[in-house]
Amino acid sequence: PPTTPAASLWTAWTTLRSQKMAANYNALYDDPQKRALLKPEAVWEIEMGRALSENDVAHAKALRNEWLDEAARIFASHDFFLLPSAQVFPFDVSQAYPKSIGGTQMDTYHRWMEVSIPASLLGLPALAVPCGQAHGQHMGMQIVAKHGADGALLAFGRAYESAFAEAASISDRAPPPGFGIDEI
């Protein structure tokens, strides 16, 4: 199992994302008329990015590099790793984002998407596929591959899709029992 703490991935991702948001949208932020058109979450993220020090960014890059090294170790013995596609089931479209999950308050507007960070932080190819449902709500999972393995990921996704579609006619949209890489 991975040893890089999720909190380290979160710190690296939010820092580097805020830095990029500030760099990309400073001109909009600096124009009061345009800033007024930005959603509050974008303003917040730009302000976070503008407040970062060089040390903050260097630390975030070091954390990202630790995860890069660990991901390389994982992919030395595995073709893919799997993660849920979200931390919550679908929510009402009128809700911008979940404010809490399981009684835990979300400290940022994107905390509810935290499970996408392991792939996103490194720019790894990832594919979201259905994996089941509960109480009429669908959930998916991410299949994540190493850099350059896009074709293998798509082939695996296609095989999963075929098996999943066949199993869906038997069970309530759950993957077939024992489905794994060795069976493809």
Side-chain angles (χ1 to χ4, degrees):
T3 59
T4 302
S8 293
L9 299 180
W10 177 255
T11 296
W13 185 80
T14 55
T15 300
L16 297 173
R17 178 181 163 92
S18 293
Q19 178 198 32
K20 186 170 183 123
M21 290 289 289
N24 289 346
Y25 300 107
N26 262 330
L28 294 175
Y29 182 88
D30 288 338
D31 181 328
Q33 290 178 324
K34 291 180 181 172
R35 184 184 326 145
L37 300 173
L38 296 173
K39 66 181 185 172
E41 295 87 359
V43 170
W44 173 82
E45 199 158 16
I46 293 165
E47 289 173 349
M48 294 294 293
R50 290 169 72 125
L52 292 170
S53 69
E54 287 182 25
N55 286 340
D56 294 332
V57 174
H59 178 66
K61 287 179 179 180
L63 292 173
R64 181 184 59 195
N65 288 339
E66 287 176 22
W67 172 232
L68 180 63
D69 291 343
E70 183 161 9
R73 285 191 296 276
I74 291 168
F75 288 127
S77 59
H78 298 79
D79 294 325
F80 310 103
F81 64 82
L82 308 176
L83 295 168
S85 59
Q87 286 144 231
V88 294
F89 283 96
F91 49 89
D92 191 279
V93 70
S94 66
Q95 184 181 1
Y97 58 91
K99 304 290 193 253
S100 69
I101 298 174
T104 300
Q105 292 298 114
M106 300 292 98
D107 57 346
T108 74
Y109 76 95
H110 37 38
R111 177 68 86 163
W112 72 275
M113 304 178 291
E114 189 171 2
V115 293
S116 68
I117 290 174
S120 178
L121 183 60
L122 300 180
L124 297 174
L127 184 64
V129 297
C131 70
Q133 61 177 305
H135 312 291
Q137 296 286 313
H138 294 273
M139 181 52 72
M141 72 175 169
Q142 301 172 71
I143 305 169
V144 182
K146 64 183 176 182
H147 283 285
D150 304 56
L153 175 62
L154 291 171
F156 181 78
R158 179 69 178 137
Y160 178 89
E161 178 183 51
S162 296
F164 189 86
E166 185 176 318
S169 64
I170 300 167
S171 67
D172 192 24
R173 296 194 50 86
F179 180 79
I181 295 172
D182 295 335
E183 298 172 14
I184 295 179

